[in-house]
Amino acid sequence: MLSLLESTKPFIHHFKGIRISTRPDYIDDEVLILLKKYNITTIELGAQSMNDDVLSANDRGHSSDDVRNASRLIKAHGFKLGLQMMTGLYKSSHEADYDTALEFVKLRPDCVRIYPTVIMKNTELERLYNSGVYKPDTLEQSVELCAALLTLFDNEHIDVIRVGLHYSDSLIEGSVASGYHPAFRELCENRIFADKLDRALRNIDSKNIIIEVNPFSVSKLIGQKRANIKDLEQRGYNIKIDKDRSLSKYGLRIKNNR
């Protein structure tokens, strides 16, 4: 750790700070005092779950209290806090994963990452899957859950800086039976707008509609391969999209187009 931190010194004036990730049980006052000297600004914790049974079943080696204690110390020492969670772990459920997100909200992190579980070859998780003990989420199930998590964190003004793993050849070649998708966040945000459209249209009595959305969210509203718009068109709607910068990232407004 020290050799890596020392290597940043010649460049210290060329960037605002350093972001690091570590285990919750590796954080204490001594470590944080040391990190402060090296211009570390953000510390992310691989919490993965706030359910102790899930953490134990997946051999994480830390507890939910370790996450709480580390988060408190990180904020007390003036660092920005990031929390990472994994959905669909062995012995978990959508309810347990949503509860993890609620526990994250209580800790008020500056940012969150959401990683749906990917089963890698030659691992204990693969053995559990092959034996039928572990049934991973499908892509559709994972999208449904993570869309709800994104909405929760957005409502709480907590920035979700990553959803799903970065694409790599080794990830594709080394994984099995996973619901991995390279544009996973896009699918989740498409789902958010699809659900909002369904709810909003219940109060609209015309098939000629104007959908108002933030200009930065037009593609999310339209959906991958125009999935959301095609669905509305198949249901007989004639659609016009208008842009309104006053709307939030996931906000939309539907009007009759007389």
Side-chain angles (χ1 to χ4, degrees), residues 42-43 45 71 74-75 79-83 107 109-111:
T42 302
I43 300 175
L45 299 176
S71 297
I74 286 167
K75 297 181 80 170
F79 297 96
K80 289 185 177 180
L81 171 66
L83 294 175
L107 296 173
D110 297 279
C111 61

Side-chain angles (χ1 to χ4, degrees), residues 33-156:
I33 290 169
L34 178 63
L35 294 177
K36 201 74 172 180
K37 296 177 181 178
Y38 286 92
N39 205 30
I40 304 297
T41 52
T42 302
I43 300 175
E44 296 189 33
L45 299 176
Q48 318 314 359
S49 175
M50 294 297 284
N51 183 300
D52 286 325
D53 290 337
V54 174
L55 292 172
S56 176
N58 289 273
D59 295 327
R60 284 299 303 168
H62 72 266
S63 68
S64 58
D65 279 342
D66 288 329
V67 179
R68 295 184 185 93
N69 294 334
S71 297
R72 177 181 54 80
L73 285 173
I74 286 167
K75 297 181 80 170
H77 280 264
F79 297 96
K80 289 185 177 180
L81 171 66
L83 294 175
Q84 302 172 4
M85 66 178 292
M86 292 183 71
T87 63
L89 283 166
Y90 174 53
K91 291 286 190 180
S92 193
S93 64
H94 283 199
E95 292 77 14
D97 290 339
Y98 198 84
D99 286 344
T100 286
L102 292 174
E103 289 296 316
F104 277 16
V105 169
K106 293 177 184 177
L107 296 173
R108 304 310 305 175
D110 297 279
C111 61
V112 165
R113 297 180 194 256
I114 305 171
Y115 295 121
T117 300
V118 175
I119 305 172
M120 301 303 291
K121 295 176 182 177
N122 303 315
T123 62
E124 177 65 11
L125 207 56
E126 184 193 23
R127 187 190 70 77
L128 291 169
Y129 166 71
N130 289 334
S131 66
V133 175
Y134 170 54
K135 184 178 180 180
D137 283 344
T138 64
L139 178 60
E140 178 61 25
Q141 290 170 330
S142 196
V143 166
E144 179 183 6
L145 171 62
C146 292
L149 298 180
L150 273 171
T151 302
L152 170 65
F153 288 125
D154 185 65
N155 290 340
E156 293 290 339

Side-chain angles (χ1 to χ4, degrees), residues 163-218:
V163 185
L165 292 166
H166 287 281
Y167 174 87
S168 70
D169 290 339
S170 61
L171 176 63
I172 299 301
E173 294 166 3
S175 62
V176 294
S178 66
Y180 174 77
H181 192 284
F184 184 76
R185 182 175 190 141
E186 182 182 351
L187 294 180
C188 295
E189 292 181 326
N190 294 168
R191 178 62 179 266
I192 290 172
F193 277 99
D195 290 344
K196 288 199 168 191
L197 284 167
D198 277 342
R199 290 193 295 271
L201 286 170
R202 294 170 190 166
N203 301 315
I204 301 294
D205 57 8
S206 173
K207 290 293 186 178
N208 297 312
I209 58 174
I210 298 172
I211 305 174
E212 296 178 341
V213 66
N214 189 294
F216 294 103
S217 299
V218 171

